[in-house]
Short mmCIF file of all heavy atoms in Angstrom, two decimals:
data_model
loop_
_atom_site.label_atom_id
_atom_site.label_comp_id
_atom_site.label_asym_id
_atom_site.label_seq_id
_atom_site.Cartn_x
_atom_site.Cartn_y
_atom_site.Cartn_z
N SER A 15 15.58 -79.07 -37.59
CA SER A 15 17.00 -78.98 -37.96
C SER A 15 17.89 -79.62 -36.90
O SER A 15 19.06 -79.91 -37.16
CB SER A 15 17.40 -77.51 -38.19
OG SER A 15 17.32 -76.77 -36.98
N ASP A 16 17.35 -79.87 -35.70
CA ASP A 16 18.10 -80.53 -34.63
C ASP A 16 18.07 -82.06 -34.76
O ASP A 16 18.79 -82.75 -34.04
CB ASP A 16 17.54 -80.14 -33.26
CG ASP A 16 17.60 -78.65 -33.00
OD1 ASP A 16 18.49 -77.98 -33.57
OD2 ASP A 16 16.75 -78.15 -32.23
N LEU A 17 17.24 -82.58 -35.66
CA LEU A 17 17.07 -84.03 -35.76
C LEU A 17 18.36 -84.79 -36.08
O LEU A 17 18.59 -85.85 -35.48
CB LEU A 17 15.98 -84.37 -36.78
CG LEU A 17 15.61 -85.86 -36.88
CD1 LEU A 17 15.17 -86.40 -35.52
CD2 LEU A 17 14.51 -86.05 -37.91
N PRO A 18 19.24 -84.30 -36.95
CA PRO A 18 20.47 -85.06 -37.19
C PRO A 18 21.28 -85.31 -35.91
O PRO A 18 21.89 -86.37 -35.77
CB PRO A 18 21.24 -84.19 -38.18
CG PRO A 18 20.18 -83.44 -38.92
CD PRO A 18 19.11 -83.16 -37.88
N VAL A 19 21.25 -84.38 -34.97
CA VAL A 19 21.94 -84.59 -33.70
C VAL A 19 21.12 -85.52 -32.82
O VAL A 19 21.64 -86.46 -32.21
CB VAL A 19 22.17 -83.24 -32.97
CG1 VAL A 19 22.66 -83.45 -31.55
CG2 VAL A 19 23.15 -82.38 -33.76
N MET A 20 19.83 -85.30 -32.75
CA MET A 20 18.97 -86.05 -31.83
C MET A 20 18.73 -87.49 -32.27
O MET A 20 18.29 -88.31 -31.47
CB MET A 20 17.65 -85.31 -31.64
CG MET A 20 17.81 -83.98 -30.93
SD MET A 20 18.76 -84.10 -29.38
CE MET A 20 17.65 -85.10 -28.41
N GLU A 21 19.04 -87.81 -33.52
CA GLU A 21 18.88 -89.19 -33.98
C GLU A 21 19.71 -90.17 -33.15
O GLU A 21 19.31 -91.31 -32.95
CB GLU A 21 19.26 -89.31 -35.46
CG GLU A 21 18.18 -88.80 -36.37
CD GLU A 21 18.55 -88.87 -37.84
OE1 GLU A 21 19.75 -88.72 -38.17
OE2 GLU A 21 17.63 -89.05 -38.65
N LYS A 22 20.84 -89.71 -32.62
CA LYS A 22 21.66 -90.59 -31.78
C LYS A 22 20.91 -90.96 -30.50
O LYS A 22 21.02 -92.09 -30.02
CB LYS A 22 22.99 -89.92 -31.46
CG LYS A 22 23.88 -89.80 -32.68
CD LYS A 22 25.16 -89.07 -32.38
CE LYS A 22 25.97 -88.94 -33.66
NZ LYS A 22 26.91 -87.86 -33.60
N ALA A 23 20.17 -90.01 -29.95
CA ALA A 23 19.36 -90.32 -28.76
C ALA A 23 18.24 -91.28 -29.14
O ALA A 23 17.98 -92.25 -28.41
CB ALA A 23 18.78 -89.03 -28.16
N CYS A 24 17.59 -91.03 -30.26
CA CYS A 24 16.50 -91.90 -30.69
C CYS A 24 17.00 -93.32 -30.91
O CYS A 24 16.36 -94.29 -30.48
CB CYS A 24 15.88 -91.37 -31.98
SG CYS A 24 15.07 -89.77 -31.81
N LYS A 25 18.14 -93.47 -31.54
CA LYS A 25 18.69 -94.80 -31.79
C LYS A 25 19.01 -95.50 -30.48
O LYS A 25 18.70 -96.68 -30.31
CB LYS A 25 19.94 -94.72 -32.67
CG LYS A 25 20.56 -96.09 -32.89
CD LYS A 25 21.51 -96.16 -34.02
CE LYS A 25 22.11 -97.51 -34.28
NZ LYS A 25 21.67 -98.65 -33.54
N PHE A 26 19.63 -94.79 -29.53
CA PHE A 26 19.97 -95.42 -28.26
C PHE A 26 18.71 -95.86 -27.52
O PHE A 26 18.65 -96.98 -27.00
CB PHE A 26 20.82 -94.49 -27.39
CG PHE A 26 21.29 -95.17 -26.14
CD1 PHE A 26 22.38 -96.02 -26.16
CD2 PHE A 26 20.61 -94.99 -24.94
CE1 PHE A 26 22.79 -96.68 -25.01
CE2 PHE A 26 21.01 -95.64 -23.78
CZ PHE A 26 22.11 -96.49 -23.82
N LEU A 27 17.72 -94.98 -27.45
CA LEU A 27 16.47 -95.33 -26.77
C LEU A 27 15.81 -96.53 -27.44
O LEU A 27 15.29 -97.42 -26.77
CB LEU A 27 15.53 -94.13 -26.72
CG LEU A 27 16.01 -92.96 -25.86
CD1 LEU A 27 15.13 -91.74 -26.10
CD2 LEU A 27 16.04 -93.34 -24.39
N ASP A 28 15.85 -96.56 -28.76
CA ASP A 28 15.30 -97.69 -29.50
C ASP A 28 16.06 -98.97 -29.16
O ASP A 28 15.45 -100.01 -28.90
CB ASP A 28 15.39 -97.40 -31.00
CG ASP A 28 14.20 -97.88 -31.78
OD1 ASP A 28 13.06 -97.75 -31.30
OD2 ASP A 28 14.42 -98.41 -32.89
N ASP A 29 17.40 -98.90 -29.15
CA ASP A 29 18.22 -100.06 -28.82
C ASP A 29 17.94 -100.56 -27.40
O ASP A 29 18.00 -101.76 -27.13
CB ASP A 29 19.71 -99.73 -28.94
CG ASP A 29 20.17 -99.54 -30.38
OD1 ASP A 29 19.41 -99.89 -31.31
OD2 ASP A 29 21.28 -99.01 -30.57
N MET A 30 17.62 -99.65 -26.50
CA MET A 30 17.34 -100.01 -25.10
C MET A 30 15.87 -100.41 -24.90
O MET A 30 15.46 -100.73 -23.80
CB MET A 30 17.66 -98.84 -24.16
CG MET A 30 19.14 -98.54 -24.03
SD MET A 30 20.03 -99.82 -23.13
CE MET A 30 21.00 -100.50 -24.46
N GLN A 31 15.09 -100.39 -25.99
CA GLN A 31 13.67 -100.76 -25.96
C GLN A 31 12.87 -99.85 -25.01
O GLN A 31 11.97 -100.31 -24.30
CB GLN A 31 13.51 -102.23 -25.57
CG GLN A 31 14.23 -103.16 -26.52
CD GLN A 31 14.27 -104.59 -26.02
OE1 GLN A 31 13.40 -105.02 -25.28
NE2 GLN A 31 15.28 -105.34 -26.45
N VAL A 32 13.21 -98.56 -25.04
CA VAL A 32 12.51 -97.57 -24.21
C VAL A 32 11.58 -96.77 -25.13
O VAL A 32 12.05 -96.10 -26.06
CB VAL A 32 13.52 -96.63 -23.51
CG1 VAL A 32 12.81 -95.48 -22.82
CG2 VAL A 32 14.40 -97.42 -22.54
N PRO A 33 10.27 -96.83 -24.90
CA PRO A 33 9.34 -96.03 -25.71
C PRO A 33 9.63 -94.53 -25.54
O PRO A 33 9.96 -94.09 -24.44
CB PRO A 33 7.97 -96.38 -25.13
CG PRO A 33 8.16 -97.68 -24.40
CD PRO A 33 9.58 -97.65 -23.90
N PHE A 34 9.53 -93.79 -26.63
CA PHE A 34 9.80 -92.35 -26.57
C PHE A 34 9.00 -91.60 -27.62
O PHE A 34 8.51 -92.19 -28.58
CB PHE A 34 11.30 -92.08 -26.74
CG PHE A 34 11.88 -92.51 -28.07
CD1 PHE A 34 12.00 -91.62 -29.12
CD2 PHE A 34 12.29 -93.82 -28.27
CE1 PHE A 34 12.53 -92.01 -30.34
CE2 PHE A 34 12.81 -94.24 -29.48
CZ PHE A 34 12.94 -93.33 -30.52
N GLU A 35 8.89 -90.31 -27.41
CA GLU A 35 8.26 -89.41 -28.38
C GLU A 35 9.33 -88.51 -28.97
O GLU A 35 10.34 -88.24 -28.32
CB GLU A 35 7.26 -88.48 -27.68
CG GLU A 35 6.07 -89.14 -27.08
CD GLU A 35 5.12 -88.13 -26.43
OE1 GLU A 35 5.37 -86.90 -26.46
OE2 GLU A 35 4.11 -88.59 -25.88
N VAL A 36 9.09 -88.02 -30.16
CA VAL A 36 9.94 -87.00 -30.78
C VAL A 36 9.03 -85.88 -31.23
O VAL A 36 8.08 -86.11 -31.97
CB VAL A 36 10.73 -87.56 -31.98
CG1 VAL A 36 11.58 -86.47 -32.61
CG2 VAL A 36 11.60 -88.74 -31.58
N ASN A 37 9.32 -84.67 -30.73
CA ASN A 37 8.50 -83.50 -31.07
C ASN A 37 9.39 -82.32 -31.42
O ASN A 37 10.49 -82.19 -30.86
CB ASN A 37 7.63 -83.09 -29.87
CG ASN A 37 6.67 -84.18 -29.46
OD1 ASN A 37 5.74 -84.49 -30.18
ND2 ASN A 37 6.91 -84.78 -28.31
N ALA A 38 8.92 -81.48 -32.31
CA ALA A 38 9.55 -80.19 -32.57
C ALA A 38 8.68 -79.14 -31.89
O ALA A 38 7.51 -78.95 -32.25
CB ALA A 38 9.64 -79.92 -34.07
N LEU A 39 9.23 -78.51 -30.86
CA LEU A 39 8.52 -77.49 -30.09
C LEU A 39 9.47 -76.32 -29.87
O LEU A 39 10.59 -76.52 -29.39
CB LEU A 39 8.08 -78.04 -28.73
CG LEU A 39 7.11 -79.22 -28.76
CD1 LEU A 39 7.02 -79.86 -27.39
CD2 LEU A 39 5.74 -78.74 -29.22
#
């Protein structure tokens, strides 16, 4: 349920070409 907020981080990291993981923990 936090993904709609965290998508902004994912997009920025993607734009910066920084590999990342996304996990629900």
Side-chain angles (χ1 to χ4, degrees):
S15 65
D16 300 332
L17 186 57
V19 170
M20 294 309 294
E21 283 178 328
K22 291 177 182 158
C24 295
K25 178 163 181 6
F26 185 80
L27 294 169
D28 218 41
D29 290 347
M30 291 290 111
Q31 302 170 27
V32 171
F34 62 95
E35 295 181 1
V36 179
N37 298 292
L39 298 166

